[in-house]
Amino acid sequence: MKECRARLAETSSSHRSIQPPDFSGLADDLVRVWNAPGVTTRPRQQILRTLIADIIADVDDTNREVVLTIHWKGGQHSVLRVRKPKTGEHGCQTPDQAIEVMKQMATRYSHDDIAATLNRMGIRTGQTKTWNGHRVSSIRRVQGIHAFRPAEKDGQWLTMKEAAKCLNVTSHVIRRLIVDRVLPAEQVVPGAPWQIEACQIQSEDVIKAIHETKGPYRRDAQEQI
């Protein structure tokens, strides 16, 4: 009997000496584990399943947000609000520089002209692809950028090709006049096609320079016949 009492006393004493685990550092440990090098998606998923009971998603159309209510296994809950993507928006975001170029070129240039300019500037799409007219049109539509309308072109501004046709010379001659600052021209952004005011192509300086230049001339249709 004495031996049994001694064992019971020893067991009771050992139980009293055991300290309860300290969970105060679990939050910091979780951050370290989550961001530790070599941790893959699978253990992170296991951590989430261990900690989270369920997640309820709702949509706040007024503020264009997705509202996530997280129910934790411990009985607490948290609310997380995430911006709702716009129609056509995805993870491969179009560079802001490309959007800005489109906005500046929108009213004067076609989709193909803008695509060519973006490619010359070395700007890629959000998926690191080169631009074409269809891709420019798609981004313009999503961003609400005013599209090019040929009917709105009133002849006030000319491209190099149009100016060359009016003066019966090649585009090379027009480019040389622009470089030599004889013919005033504008670029909406660096790398964009030159835009020439129609009234400038008939100035005395331009006409004189064309007569003096030794560059190749365009012959009109009658001369070619």
Side-chain angles (χ1 to χ4, degrees):
M1 182 65 70
K2 291 181 179 180
E3 184 178 351
C4 290
R5 289 177 178 175
R7 289 182 179 179
L8 287 173
E10 183 180 351
T11 303
S12 177
S13 176
S14 63
H15 285 172
R16 286 195 299 269
S17 63
I18 297 176
Q19 297 295 326
D22 182 10
F23 295 105
S24 60
L26 278 180
D28 293 335
D29 292 339
L30 177 60
V31 174
R32 285 196 294 269
V33 170
W34 189 271
N35 296 318
V39 176
T40 62
T41 302
R42 183 174 179 80
R44 288 173 178 165
Q45 290 175 339
Q46 293 174 338
I47 292 173
L48 292 178
R49 293 191 184 102
T50 302
L51 298 177
I52 297 176
D54 57 51
I55 300 176
I56 299 175
D58 195 5
V59 178
D60 182 351
D61 290 324
T62 303
N63 296 315
R64 292 195 59 82
E65 292 179 330
V66 177
V67 184
L68 302 175
T69 303
I70 305 172
H71 293 162
W72 302 93
K73 289 288 183 68
Q76 300 294 323
H77 71 273
S78 304
V79 177
L80 178 65
R81 304 181 75 92
V82 182
R83 186 181 68 85
K84 182 181 178 182
K86 297 179 181 178
T87 303
E89 186 178 353
H90 46 75
C92 300
Q93 192 74 19
T94 302
D96 292 339
Q97 188 180 8
I99 300 297
E100 187 61 28
V101 170
M102 291 184 195
K103 288 180 178 179
Q104 294 187 43
M105 297 182 66
T107 57
R108 295 188 187 179
Y109 299 93
S110 67
H111 297 149
D112 291 334
D113 289 334
I114 296 176
T117 299
L118 291 170
N119 290 331
R120 280 196 297 271
M121 296 175 69
I123 302 174
R124 296 298 182 106
T125 69
Q127 298 176 330
T128 68
K129 296 179 180 179
T130 56
W131 290 94
N132 57 34
H134 175 73
R135 289 169 182 159
V136 171
S137 174
S138 177
I139 297 299
R140 271 183 157 182
R141 185 169 56 255
V142 171
Q143 295 290 330
I145 301 174
H146 176 66
F148 171 75
R149 297 178 183 175
E152 295 180 358
K153 189 174 177 63
D154 56 7
Q156 180 182 358
W157 293 92
L158 304 174
T159 64
M160 285 202 309
K161 185 177 181 180
E162 291 169 339
K165 184 177 181 180
C166 291
L167 294 172
N168 201 32
V169 296
T170 64
S171 295
H172 175 75
V173 173
I174 298 299
R175 183 183 297 276
R176 187 160 58 191
L177 293 176
I178 294 173
V179 172
D180 292 341
R181 300 182 182 277
V182 175
L183 178 60
E186 297 180 6
Q187 283 179 307
V188 177
V189 293
W194 287 103
Q195 288 279 285
I196 304 161
E197 279 193 282
C199 61
Q200 295 290 345
I201 64 175
Q202 297 298 334
S203 69
E204 293 183 7
D205 291 339
V206 171
I207 299 301
K208 180 180 178 181
I210 289 177
H211 285 304
E212 292 178 351
T213 184
K214 296 181 180 180
Y217 282 81
R218 286 171 48 93
R219 292 182 298 173
D220 58 29
Q222 292 182 352
E223 290 179 347
Q224 292 179 9
I225 294 175

